[in-house]
Amino acid sequence: MVDWIHKNLANLRLKMIAVDQTQVEYETTQLINYISPIIRANDTRHAIVAFIRDILHKSALLDGFVIECGSSALKSYLPESDLDLVLLAPTSRNNREEIQCLTAIFNSWCDEIADKDEGKSSHSEMTIRNVEFVNARTKLAHCLVNNISVDITVNQIGAILTLTFLEEADRLIGGDHLFKKSLLLIKVQYFCCCYSTATAVKVVYLSLIHI
């Protein structure tokens, strides 16, 4: 995938130098179609969200609802992007209660791993690995589910508000999700790290005009 993207970004750069905007439009559209999430990828992530909800709701120590947020919910993610979740729980903003919720999440994931090892799990198609608690400014529980990175926080309302704002911005701009397509272009440019920021801005600018 990376080699293909590098090749197409190089083509885009050459086309911009030649100011052949018709060809730039074509190359940009091809690149966006290639990096945009496909239905199967979306279905995989939705299944993981449902799986996480199920095992958390089985925990007697947890009460609340899991909401998908971030680029996954916005459908502007790359294959390597994390799956960001927020647990809305009836707890105060007390730091200790937040850590207790994350500990319960951590333990519920470990219980699922134990059930899987003992053949007791009802989720044979899902595998959890690399469970950890991340003690950062925004504390979270992290794991891999079927090799997709999953991060979950507690009562991070800001993440949900950001998602709502970005969705509204996309609806306002319209143009067959121009805003989300521009986000994808910026992300893939950052991911490849092969050209200057000025080049990335030019690619996004031309895509906004011609897509």
Side-chain angles (χ1 to χ4, degrees):
M1 174 182 175
V2 174
D3 291 340
W4 190 93
I5 293 173
H6 274 273
K7 178 182 177 181
N8 279 270
L9 283 173
N11 288 338
L12 281 173
R13 191 183 186 190
L14 291 174
K15 300 305 179 184
M16 285 188 293
I17 293 173
V19 199
D20 185 352
Q21 295 186 347
T22 301
Q23 187 64 24
V24 170
E25 175 186 352
Y26 173 77
E27 296 285 351
T28 304
T29 302
Q30 288 287 95
L31 177 60
I32 289 175
N33 289 340
Y34 185 80
I35 64 178
S36 294
I38 61 176
I39 295 176
R40 186 174 63 180
N42 290 333
D43 290 344
T44 297
R45 288 178 176 247
H46 291 158
I48 291 175
V49 173
F51 166 64
I52 295 294
R53 284 174 179 159
D54 186 54
I55 61 177
L56 294 188
H57 290 166
K58 291 179 180 178
S59 173
L61 299 176
L62 286 170
D63 186 18
F65 187 74
V66 175
I67 295 179
E68 184 180 2
C69 60
S71 62
S72 188
L74 197 63
K75 302 296 183 291
S76 62
Y77 62 89
L78 298 177
E80 296 80 8
S81 298
D82 295 342
L83 174 55
D84 297 315
L85 306 174
V86 175
L87 173 66
L88 295 181
T91 63
S92 67
R93 289 189 172 274
N94 182 284
N95 189 57
R96 182 176 295 275
E97 291 187 8
E98 178 185 353
I99 292 176
Q100 288 173 345
C101 275
L102 290 171
T103 301
I105 293 171
F106 183 96
N107 290 335
S108 69
W109 289 349
C110 292
D111 288 341
E112 171 62 22
I113 292 173
D115 288 344
K116 187 74 176 289
D117 290 343
E118 296 171 0
K120 299 178 181 178
S121 174
S122 58
H123 304 281
S124 58
E125 74 286 358
M126 296 290 179
T127 301
I128 296 178
R129 297 188 297 110
N130 297 10
V131 177
E132 60 181 333
F133 166 75
V134 179
N135 184 25
R137 180 175 181 180
T138 300
K139 295 175 174 56
L140 57 89
H142 168 82
C143 73
L144 293 178
V145 179
N146 291 2
N147 292 324
I148 292 180
S149 178
V150 178
D151 292 334
I152 184 166
T153 57
V154 177
N155 290 340
Q156 290 296 318
I157 304 300
I160 300 172
L161 293 178
T162 299
L163 173 62
T164 303
F165 170 78
L166 294 176
E167 284 286 5
E168 288 300 319
D170 183 64
R171 292 191 186 99
L172 179 63
I173 294 172
D176 191 24
H177 301 294
L178 274 177
F179 180 69
K180 293 182 180 180
K181 290 176 179 178
S182 298
L183 289 178
L184 277 170
L185 285 173
I186 293 171
K187 286 181 178 182
V188 77
Q189 175 67 25
Y190 178 79
F191 175 75
C192 290
C193 295
C194 55
Y195 298 119
S196 67
T197 302
T199 303
V201 172
K202 289 178 183 177
V203 172
V204 173
Y205 171 75
L206 288 169
S207 70
L208 286 172
I209 294 176
H210 295 292
I211 291 176

